Amino acid sequence: MEIKRRKKKERKTRNTFIVLAVCPILVLILMVALFVYGEMKSICNTYQISADEMPSPYSLFDRVLLLNSYTKYDYMDLQDRAMRDPKVFLDNDYLKKENDYLKEKYSFLAVIVDGEFTFFGDIKKYDYVYRDLLIANNNYSEENGQYCGKEGQKFLFKKLGVIFPDGRTGSVCIVTDLNVNLPHITVFSVGLVGIIVVVCVLIVAGIIGHTYYNILVPIRQLQLAAIHISEGDLEYELPSMQGNEFEGLYRDFDNMQTRLRETTEERNRADALTKEVIGNISHDLKTPLTAIKGYAEGIMDGVAATPERMERYVKTIYTKAVDMAVLVDELSYFTKIYQKVENFRFQPVKANYFFAQCISDMSLDLEISNIQLLYQCDVPEEVEISIDEEKIKRVVANIVGNAVKYIQKEQGMILVDVEEQDSRVQVMIRDNGKGIGKEELPYIFERFYRTDSSRNSQTGGSGLGLAIAKKIMDEHGGEIWAESEIGKGTAIYFTLRKTTEHKEEENG
């Protein structure tokens, strides 16, 4: 599931970069295309170019093409005049009016009669074009015109032959200056560059904004979180980042921070436990060590002068040494199980057979202590439980051993009852001891807790037996609890999952 989520996020990131790369290009192409189309329509309307003659975008920079088209209909009008009323070309007022109109198109009018100019619309251009206009064929009527000019000045002229009413011959010329900068070309060029610049600026601004808010800001937030963690602030929370490319990284960072927090808390608990263990070891070993030292000094000083006293001293030293060994063993085992150094080896066993064996192993020792151990089991023989046998034996031994210390009666009795309850097997170990007060009952499974107010009480012990039992039950996925009444005794209950239920939960 995690692999699919990561692959989906990778595809999303890849698609985002593709969009960032392709969309700006498409937007730029679209904007340029719309602008070019609009300018082409405007230029065609201005220079009187029909839709079927609409030039390509490249030809918009061709001044000759545009200026040639600009005077196309004026030349056709001259042709019509020459056929209907050629004498108007001898009328200066008419010629001036037409010339003023042509000036708006960067052109002027010239009339030649019998080889001499009778009208020249722009005298400043005379030296550049007069010779070419005179030499050209009077009958030239090509609409595209001819080039002329000198000294780097270039012109385009269209010449129309005319026969006047009095029999004279001549020609009328439309001369166009090709050395001008057409405002449409300038506007088109500036506009095109402007469109590209504006679109590029917007695209760059969008990419910068996207990069800042979707890349730089998350990186800065991660950097800030790393600084907080390096300074020991493991409670710092990253802002929510939904739908961002960094969402997965944020989640991984949060998981890492959570694991680091848990590790730190576990280490702190281990440190606190270590200090507590050391303190309790110092306290609990002090009493037996003092006794051993005292009796040993008595032997060396000759106080144990009789064989009977010597035997009593030696037995006391041995008993205290055994107590110390038990205490050290419990402390060592407790440390291992709480720091998860102790391994658990689960295997299916017959519940009835297992607990019967446990009781059988302990019954002889309890008889010596004048304590009757009773066992009853209502669990069918085929019912199995998945357990670590040695660990559960320690649980039973710790509970029974704890009961023995607190019975304090001439005739003690401990009942072990095993019964089946749905998906679990429940074990009850009840004694007829002095019982535990209600205010103390919730704390009996805590480490180093004793119901005795003094640690020097005759019951002794490390205060770890029930704490170890609870930890073992936690690892087995079971529960453990106690019920007690002052003067009537205490009952400790714990449950274990059946083998079938255990397997189903593991597979689930």
Side-chain angles (χ1 to χ4, degrees):
M1 191 69 180
E2 180 65 18
I3 295 176
K4 290 183 178 179
R5 184 182 65 81
R6 290 185 180 276
K7 287 184 177 180
K8 183 178 180 181
K9 180 59 65 176
E10 289 175 1
R11 288 196 298 270
K12 181 179 178 181
T13 302
R14 182 172 62 250
N15 293 338
T16 299
F17 280 104
I18 292 175
V19 169
L20 286 176
V22 174
C23 281
I25 297 175
L26 295 178
V27 170
L28 181 61
I29 293 174
L30 178 62
M31 295 297 292
V32 170
L34 291 175
F35 176 77
V36 169
Y37 178 78
E39 286 298 309
M40 288 177 63
K41 291 281 290 185
S42 175
I43 289 174
C44 288
N45 292 333
T46 301
Y47 294 94
Q48 301 174 347
I49 301 175
S50 61
D52 56 344
E53 297 174 333
M54 183 177 291
S56 66
Y58 299 105
S59 65
L60 296 178
F61 294 94
D62 190 347
R63 289 176 297 177
V64 177
L65 174 64
L66 296 180
L67 290 170
N68 188 22
S69 300
Y70 212 6
T71 58
K72 172 183 177 181
Y73 293 101
D74 296 304
Y75 182 77
M76 294 173 63
D77 185 58
L78 291 179
Q79 286 181 317
D80 183 63
R81 288 279 184 172
M83 293 178 60
R84 290 188 296 104
D85 188 13
K87 65 180 180 180
V88 297
F89 298 119
L90 300 175
D91 184 352
N92 282 342
D93 292 336
Y94 168 77
L95 294 176
K96 287 180 180 180
K97 182 179 178 182
E98 290 295 321
N99 191 70
D100 291 339
Y101 173 72
L102 289 173
K103 282 182 180 181
E104 296 177 1
K105 301 183 178 182
Y106 311 101
S107 304
F108 62 89
L109 202 60
V111 179
I112 303 173
V113 180
D114 289 339
E116 294 182 358
F117 287 100
T118 59
F119 183 84
F120 201 89
D122 191 346
I123 197 63
K124 295 179 180 179
K125 310 294 191 307
Y126 180 80
D127 291 336
Y128 298 109
V129 300
Y130 78 92
R131 186 180 301 276
D132 293 326
L133 295 181
L134 293 174
I135 293 175
N137 188 350
N138 286 342
N139 293 325
Y140 177 76
S141 60
E142 285 292 333
E143 294 181 2
N144 291 330
Q146 288 184 332
Y147 294 106
C148 64
K150 60 181 181 177
E151 298 178 6
Q153 299 294 312
K154 195 172 183 180
F155 298 86
L156 178 73
F157 68 92
K158 299 177 181 179
K159 191 174 184 181
L160 175 65
V162 180
I163 299 176
F164 297 98
D166 56 6
R168 291 182 297 172
T169 60
S171 57
V172 179
C173 304
I174 296 178
V175 184
T176 302
D177 189 353
L178 301 180
N179 304 292
V180 296
N181 292 322
L182 296 179
H184 283 84
I185 295 179
T186 303
V187 170
F188 178 82
S189 302
V190 173
L192 183 61
V193 172
I195 285 290
I196 294 175
V197 169
V198 170
V199 173
C200 288
V201 168
L202 293 177
I203 290 172
V204 170
I207 293 175
I208 291 175
H210 179 275
T211 303
Y212 178 76
Y213 288 106
N214 292 280
I215 298 179
L216 296 182
V217 169
I219 289 177
R220 175 56 183 161
Q221 290 175 346
L222 287 171
Q223 184 183 23
L224 185 61
I227 292 173
H228 278 273
I229 291 176
S230 66
E231 293 176 351
D233 181 11
L234 299 179
E235 300 301 325
Y236 179 81
E237 294 185 2
L238 279 169
S240 177
M241 188 61 65
Q242 296 292 333
N244 187 277
E245 285 75 11
F246 282 81
E247 180 183 353
L249 180 58
Y250 269 49
R251 187 183 299 108
D252 294 338
F253 192 94
D254 284 336
N255 293 337
M256 178 201 71
Q257 186 177 2
T258 300
R259 289 194 296 270
L260 183 60
R261 187 188 302 116
E262 292 173 352
T263 302
T264 303
E265 291 174 353
E266 186 174 346
R267 183 188 63 194
N268 292 337
R269 287 194 298 269
D271 292 343
L273 175 61
T274 301
K275 294 178 181 178
E276 188 177 5
V277 168
I278 292 174
N280 281 278
I281 287 176
S282 301
H283 187 282
D284 290 339
L285 291 182
K286 185 176 181 179
T287 300
L289 281 174
T290 300
I292 291 172
K293 180 181 177 184
Y295 282 102
E297 288 176 350
I299 293 174
M300 289 187 295
D301 293 340
V303 175
T306 64
E308 292 81 7
R309 180 170 289 188
M310 176 65 74
E311 183 180 0
R312 184 163 58 86
Y313 275 35
V314 171
K315 284 184 177 180
T316 302
I317 291 174
Y318 175 78
T319 301
K320 297 298 180 182
V322 170
D323 290 343
M324 288 178 59
V326 172
L327 177 61
V328 171
D329 176 67
E330 283 198 342
L331 287 170
S332 175
Y333 189 82
F334 172 78
T335 302
K336 288 180 181 179
I337 199 169
Y338 262 80
Q339 292 182 349
K340 297 185 178 181
V341 177
E342 186 75 13
N343 295 323
F344 283 73
R345 298 177 178 86
F346 295 96
Q347 58 184 2
V349 297
K350 301 290 186 181
N352 195 331
Y353 173 80
F354 172 76
F355 287 109
Q357 188 67 36
C358 284
I359 301 307
S360 176
D361 293 341
M362 291 187 294
S363 59
L364 182 60
D365 292 335
L366 293 178
E367 285 180 9
I368 296 174
S369 301
N370 198 29
I371 295 176
Q372 184 181 9
L373 181 60
L374 304 177
Y375 173 68
Q376 63 183 35
C377 180
D378 297 329
V379 179
E381 292 185 1
E382 67 273 9
V383 173
E384 292 185 344
I385 51 177
S386 182
I387 60 172
D388 184 319
E389 294 186 47
E390 293 301 320
K391 303 295 190 301
I392 298 301
K393 284 181 180 180
R394 182 179 281 267
V395 170
V396 175
N398 285 359
I399 296 174
V400 171
N402 199 66
V404 170
K405 287 185 294 183
Y406 290 95
I407 287 180
Q408 297 179 353
K409 291 183 178 181
E410 292 184 1
Q411 181 60 49
M413 189 268 294
I414 296 176
L415 170 64
V416 178
D417 180 42
V418 183
E419 61 181 28
E420 182 181 16
Q421 290 189 347
D422 297 329
S423 61
R424 295 177 181 262
V425 171
Q426 177 180 287
V427 180
M428 180 196 72
I429 302 177
R430 181 187 298 276
D431 63 62
N432 63 342
K434 64 178 183 177
I436 303 172
K438 291 183 179 179
E439 68 280 359
E440 293 181 311
L441 200 59
Y443 306 104
I444 64 173
F445 294 103
E446 293 184 3
R447 55 182 179 265
F448 302 116
Y449 184 81
R450 293 189 181 94
T451 56
D452 297 79
S453 60
S454 172
R455 287 185 177 272
N456 295 322
S457 65
Q458 295 180 354
T459 58
S462 64
L464 293 174
L466 293 183
I468 291 173
K470 184 178 187 312
K471 186 63 178 176
I472 292 175
M473 294 311 304
D474 289 342
E475 295 294 332
H476 278 76
E479 298 179 357
I480 185 169
W481 70 96
E483 295 177 358
S484 184
E485 187 175 349
I486 296 295
K488 293 186 178 181
T490 301
I492 304 292
Y493 298 84
F494 64 88
T495 60
L496 295 166
R497 290 180 293 183
K498 294 180 182 178
T499 303
T500 53
E501 298 294 330
H502 190 67
K503 289 181 179 178
E504 287 177 4
E505 290 190 18
E506 287 183 346
N507 294 334

